[in-house]
Amino acid sequence: MDDELLEDFLIEAGEILEQLNEQLVELENSPDDSELLNAVFRGFHTIKGGAGFLAIDVMVAICHRTEDIFNMLRNDELKIDNHLMDTVLPVLDVLNDQFDALRSGEEPQGAEQSLLTGLEGIISGDTGGESKAVAEETSSSESEDISDDEFEAMLDEAASKKAKAESSSDEITDEEFEALLDDLHGKGQFTEDAGKIPAAGSYEENKKNDEISEDEFEALLDDIHGKGSFSGDSSASTKDESKKSTGSYEENKKNDEISEDEFEALLDDIHGKGSFSASSESSDVKETKSVIKAKAEPPAKKETPIVASKEVTPVKETKAKTPAKDSKPPAETSVRVDTSRLDEIMNMVGELVLVRNRITRLGSEGGDASGEEMTKAIANLDLVTADLQLSVMKTRMQPIKKVFGRFPRVVRDLARSLKKDIRLEMIGEDTDLDKNLVEALADPLVHLVRNSVDHGIEMPDDREQAGKSRQGTVTLAASQEGDHILLSITDDGGGMDADVLRNIAIKKGIHDKESASRLTDVECYNLIFAPGFSTKEQISDISGRGVGMDVVKTGITSLNGSIEIDSELGKGTVINIKVPLTLAIMSTLMVRLKDQLFSLPLVNVNEIFHLDLTKTNVMDGKRVVLVRGKTLPLYYLNNWLVNGESNAPLPDAGHVVVVHIGTQKVGFIVDELIGQEEVVIKPLGAMLHGISGLAGATITGDGGIALILDIPGLMKMYA
């Protein structure tokens, strides 16, 4: 397989797959939208075509069946309903798994047989999920009894073609019976003395008794299941104790009769479970006729339900043998860039070359560097560089719709599982942000949306009693504010009760009763981000373990972002996330500690003030200061970051930079404030990589180096 062709296919088809996730849910809500239906059909058709060209047969197989379904929908041969969408939506999960396998260089696994069978059932019109063979088999077992003539003909066929149509005696001779056994089982396979075997009754005798003989029934079982496959004797009463069964010796030694359960299991195996409800104790001819009629059915009808149910297992076993992935599949390393944006960058580079030539000529002429012409050239250089920087940044930008596109499916599936009626609104999908941020925000947003659906939106009956519409609304919004992106998740659910959260915090030992009483309502709402905190008393597969929101907070903080939550009881909840526009360039506050420069991410800075440090207090062994009626912990950064100053005393006065880490605020004492500066983040070298408290480094305007501080890591390591 050509790697370049595969990479192109993964990029193009991957984008189509992301769109299908949103389009299918939208189609379920708007089944009459023919344009949307055609778009979905084209999506599966395109993926199938690319997969077929690359000979990815497992992908072609599932796309082909799905394409057939949507072609039937286009031709009005099918109607869109919940059952159809419940069957089709898992196709996207299978395709995503196959795409991930291809990106990782592994062989993609085929879809489970149960899914393929479900798709074929829709195509064939069997919306109940059962194959026609199963239905025919069931109706066959429930039909009227066959006639005596049909019964006799089947006995003759099962026994032997050599059986005589008429006999002068009601019993066949020993030689005839032995020949019959040889014909059925092969010569010499049956060594039992024929004299000990009761004679097979004639049709007239059986008609009187309304029963077949033990040997006829046993021969029939051997013919159906194979010699020795059935471990018990097939009769409810044994007339000759010396007769040996074809089952295992030990079993027959203990008991010459099979139990009701064994006989019922035999009937279930022949007819399908649940198809036979009659008692299994006797050898009633009605049951026996049903057995023989099942035996006389064409093989395809008998085997279809068995094959369909058993073919699922090998697929699951194959998946179980696949090594578990230690990490997520590698992220996409390519981005699609509009050619107009590339043209803009080329123009900027051209301008940059002209400015360089201008400065070079002025330098060669020996003019005054501070002269008017040089000043103009430098100003022009600054302008062109800023535009070029912005244009290059935009090449890394992607619309947040790439993240939002997955949520219609998430909300739809979750609402159905919780039996809630929820509508998802998405605003600002075209907002651009850094590609790395798009990928990093996916998991935190999934947690938050699931939390809103599970915890926020009430059950339809509860909403109706509260005077609300039965349908709840979850709104995802994105907008750009300066050099930051603001994301919000809003629900019109029941909101949060601050007092309930206080009590949970006390119960879980996060706060004592006194400190919990001092918490404001907003601080109580933010308690949900604490590790192990959950408002659910029972753990489910959706929530209750108290780790989801903690993961969200950790993920957002690692992106130099912040998260805030506000709620109103009975009205709903709003969660706001603020992240930088890009991870490559960061707005920072430059500070000096002794002779070393450090950068504090501006997104974490709340305020700055000058403080007389002689007026601070010590509480619980920590230095604090009272700011607007609240205690603020103080830390002297020189003790942490300057060599030889780990025990240096506080100066008499200093600058305090108030930063926030989640819901916590602390004050950092610094020697000098330099000012705000946009810096380009450079990764640390191999020797310094992974040091807690350092996010990277940057080169300052005077050519020096400043370390960029990771405030959460710094607090975790030193505080």
Side-chain angles (χ1 to χ4, degrees):
M1 189 182 299
D2 190 298
D3 291 341
E4 190 174 342
L5 289 176
L6 176 61
E7 185 65 26
D8 290 342
F9 168 70
L10 290 176
I11 293 172
E12 182 183 1
E15 290 178 354
I16 294 173
L17 196 58
E18 289 174 1
Q19 293 172 0
L20 285 173
N21 226 342
E22 187 174 352
Q23 289 172 341
L24 283 174
V25 177
E26 190 177 341
L27 185 63
E28 185 179 21
N29 298 326
S30 307
D32 298 326
D33 191 336
S34 59
E35 188 175 339
L36 186 59
L37 179 60
N38 287 329
V40 172
F41 172 79
R42 285 193 301 270
F44 282 109
H45 180 75
T46 304
I47 295 175
K48 184 192 80 169
F53 181 76
L54 294 170
I56 309 172
D57 296 335
V58 291
M59 195 175 288
V60 172
I62 191 167
C63 284
H64 181 68
R65 288 171 172 83
T66 313
E67 181 189 9
D68 287 344
I69 290 175
F70 283 96
N71 192 41
M72 294 174 72
L73 288 169
R74 292 188 346 170
N75 298 329
D76 293 329
E77 297 175 25
L78 286 176
K79 293 296 180 184
I80 296 174
D81 55 21
N82 291 338
H83 168 73
L84 185 144
M85 297 308 292
D86 285 341
T87 307
V88 170
L89 282 170
V91 170
L92 299 182
D93 299 330
V94 173
L95 289 175
N96 275 317
D97 290 341
Q98 291 173 345
F99 270 72
D100 291 342
L102 288 170
R103 288 192 187 100
S104 304
E106 300 173 3
E107 187 71 22
Q109 298 289 334
E112 291 187 359
Q113 184 61 37
S114 57
L115 178 58
L116 296 176
T117 304
L119 295 173
E120 289 170 351
I122 293 176
I123 295 170
S124 63
D126 184 7
T127 56
E130 296 179 354
S131 65
K132 292 181 180 179
V134 175
E136 290 176 8
E137 188 74 22
T138 304
S139 62
S140 172
S141 66
E142 293 176 353
S143 61
E144 295 181 359
D145 293 341
I146 59 174
S147 65
D148 289 337
D149 295 331
E150 291 171 332
F151 182 59
E152 180 190 11
M154 290 183 184
L155 274 181
D156 289 342
E157 182 180 353
S160 174
K161 292 180 181 179
K162 293 182 179 181
K164 295 181 178 180
E166 295 178 358
S167 177
S168 58
S169 172
D170 285 342
E171 297 181 357
I172 61 174
T173 65
D174 291 344
E175 290 76 17
E176 288 172 334
F177 190 72
E178 190 169 354
L180 171 62
L181 290 177
D182 288 341
D183 189 43
L184 282 173
H185 301 288
K187 190 167 183 64
Q189 297 293 319
F190 198 88
T191 58
E192 189 170 24
D193 187 357
K196 295 181 180 180
I197 303 176
S202 67
Y203 164 66
E204 288 77 10
E205 183 178 347
N206 287 327
K207 189 173 182 181
K208 293 176 184 177
N209 298 334
D210 206 22
E211 292 182 356
I212 63 172
S213 71
E214 298 170 5
D215 302 294
E216 288 173 323
F217 190 67
E218 184 180 350
L220 172 62
L221 290 179
D222 286 344
D223 194 31
I224 294 173
H225 295 287
K227 181 77 175 171
S229 295
F230 198 74
S231 58
D233 198 352
S234 303
S235 175
S237 59
T238 306
K239 296 177 182 178
D240 190 348
E241 294 295 325
S242 64
K243 179 189 173 299
K244 294 181 174 61
S245 171
T246 59
S248 64
Y249 173 72
E250 290 79 11
E251 185 72 17
N252 290 319
K253 188 176 182 181
K254 294 178 183 177
N255 187 4
D256 285 342
E257 297 180 359
I258 64 170
S259 67
E260 296 178 10
D261 294 334
E262 288 171 327
F263 191 76
E264 191 170 353
L266 166 65
L267 293 177
D268 284 343
D269 191 32
I270 296 172
H271 292 288
K273 191 163 181 65
S275 298
F276 201 88
S277 57
S279 173
S280 307
E281 182 178 353
S282 66
S283 300
D284 189 89
V285 70
K286 185 177 180 180
E287 297 173 3
T288 311
K289 289 176 182 179
S290 298
V291 173
I292 294 178
K293 184 170 183 180
K295 189 249 178 200
E297 290 285 344
K301 292 184 180 179
K302 180 183 72 177
E303 292 175 3
T304 300
I306 299 173
V307 172
S309 62
K310 290 183 179 179
E311 281 184 357
V312 179
T313 306
V315 177
K316 291 183 178 177
E317 288 176 353
T318 305
K319 288 193 173 184
K321 293 175 184 177
T322 304
K325 297 180 182 177
D326 297 331
S327 60
K328 293 182 180 180
E332 294 179 16
T333 55
S334 58
V335 258
R336 287 196 172 190
V337 182
D338 194 339
T339 52
S340 63
R341 193 162 285 176
L342 292 176
D343 292 339
E344 186 181 344
I345 292 173
M346 282 302 300
N347 290 334
M348 292 298 106
V349 172
E351 293 288 335
L352 193 62
V353 171
L354 293 176
V355 174
R356 182 201 65 184
N357 295 341
R358 176 69 173 159
I359 293 175
T360 302
R361 188 175 65 81
L362 288 173
S364 64
E365 291 177 353
D368 186 0
S370 61
E372 184 179 350
E373 290 297 322
M374 183 63 78
T375 303
K376 287 182 180 178
I378 292 174
N380 195 16
L381 176 63
D382 181 53
L383 182 63
V384 172
T385 305
D387 288 344
L388 181 61
Q389 181 188 49
L390 184 62
S391 296
V392 172
M393 276 177 53
K394 286 182 178 178
T395 62
R396 293 176 54 84
M397 296 296 182
Q398 287 187 337
I400 201 166
K401 184 176 182 180
K402 191 176 178 69
V403 179
F404 281 9
R406 70 180 64 188
F407 290 111
R409 169 80 184 281
V410 171
V411 172
R412 183 255 185 203
D413 290 349
L414 203 54
R416 281 180 65 81
S417 67
L418 296 172
K419 297 181 172 56
K420 295 182 179 181
D421 187 3
I422 300 175
R423 178 169 57 94
L424 176 68
E425 289 184 356
M426 295 186 291
I427 303 171
E429 296 175 85
D430 295 330
T431 304
D432 287 338
L433 71 163
D434 192 281
K435 177 181 182 293
N436 292 340
L437 275 171
V438 168
E439 295 165 356
L441 282 171
D443 286 343
L445 285 178
V446 166
H447 279 295
L448 292 174
V449 170
R450 287 169 64 90
N451 190 72
S452 293
V453 172
D454 186 23
H455 294 269
I457 304 295
E458 315 97 323
M459 297 297 290
D461 292 342
D462 297 335
R463 290 180 61 85
E464 199 169 37
Q465 291 176 4
K468 300 180 181 180
S469 64
R470 292 181 64 84
Q471 186 181 61
T473 303
V474 175
T475 305
L476 265 175
S479 60
Q480 184 174 342
E481 292 186 352
D483 60 349
H484 284 78
I485 296 291
L486 179 65
L487 303 171
S488 65
I489 299 96
T490 308
D491 67 71
D492 63 348
M496 291 189 285
D497 189 337
D499 292 332
V500 171
L501 296 174
R502 283 191 186 93
N503 293 332
I504 294 175
I506 296 170
K507 183 179 178 181
K508 292 185 176 291
I510 298 173
H511 283 280
D512 56 35
K513 193 169 183 179
E514 184 180 352
S515 63
S517 64
R518 292 197 300 267
L519 294 174
T520 64
D521 287 353
V522 173
E523 288 173 334
C524 287
Y525 302 147
N526 283 279
L527 284 171
I528 66 173
F529 297 115
F533 190 95
S534 177
T535 57
K536 280 289 185 77
E537 294 182 0
Q538 292 184 344
I539 295 175
S540 68
D541 59 345
I542 299 171
S543 62
R545 293 177 175 82
V547 294
M549 299 302 278
D550 180 34
V551 168
V552 168
K553 178 186 169 186
T554 305
I556 298 299
T557 304
S558 68
L559 300 174
N560 295 317
S562 61
I563 183 167
E564 297 176 353
I565 187 167
D566 194 12
S567 183
E568 186 177 351
L569 190 61
K571 299 292 184 182
T573 303
V574 180
I575 300 175
N576 290 319
I577 300 173
K578 200 173 183 180
V579 291
L581 190 62
T582 177
L583 295 178
I585 296 175
M586 181 189 300
S587 295
T588 64
L589 175 67
M590 300 291 288
V591 299
R592 190 186 301 276
L593 305 177
K594 286 293 184 182
D595 298 325
Q596 177 65 50
L597 287 177
F598 292 91
S599 294
L600 295 171
L602 205 59
V603 68
N604 295 114
V605 178
N606 279 67
E607 59 179 315
I608 303 170
F609 57 85
H610 189 73
L611 180 66
D612 182 357
L613 298 176
T614 60
K615 296 181 179 179
T616 58
N617 302 304
V618 176
M619 182 184 296
D620 294 333
K622 294 182 180 179
R623 190 167 296 277
V624 298
V625 65
L626 199 63
V627 179
R628 290 186 288 275
K630 289 192 175 182
T631 55
L632 179 73
L634 291 177
Y635 299 98
Y636 189 26
L637 284 185
N638 288 43
N639 297 153
W640 294 351
L641 302 174
V642 179
N643 189 26
E645 298 242 341
S646 57
N647 296 313
L650 277 178
D652 294 335
H655 302 285
V656 177
V657 181
V658 180
V659 299
H660 67 269
I661 309 100
T663 59
Q664 181 186 8
K665 288 183 180 180
V666 298
F668 288 155
I669 302 170
V670 299
D671 293 337
E672 184 183 351
L673 297 171
I674 305 300
Q676 181 179 340
E677 189 173 325
E678 281 195 347
V679 300
V680 179
I681 303 173
K682 300 291 183 183
L684 297 171
M687 292 182 65
L688 298 175
H689 187 69
I691 294 180
S692 184
L694 297 181
T698 187
I699 300 174
T700 60
D702 60 0
I705 294 176
L707 293 174
I708 301 171
L709 300 181
D710 171 24
I711 295 177
L714 202 65
M715 293 295 296
K716 185 176 181 181
M717 185 170 184
Y718 294 106

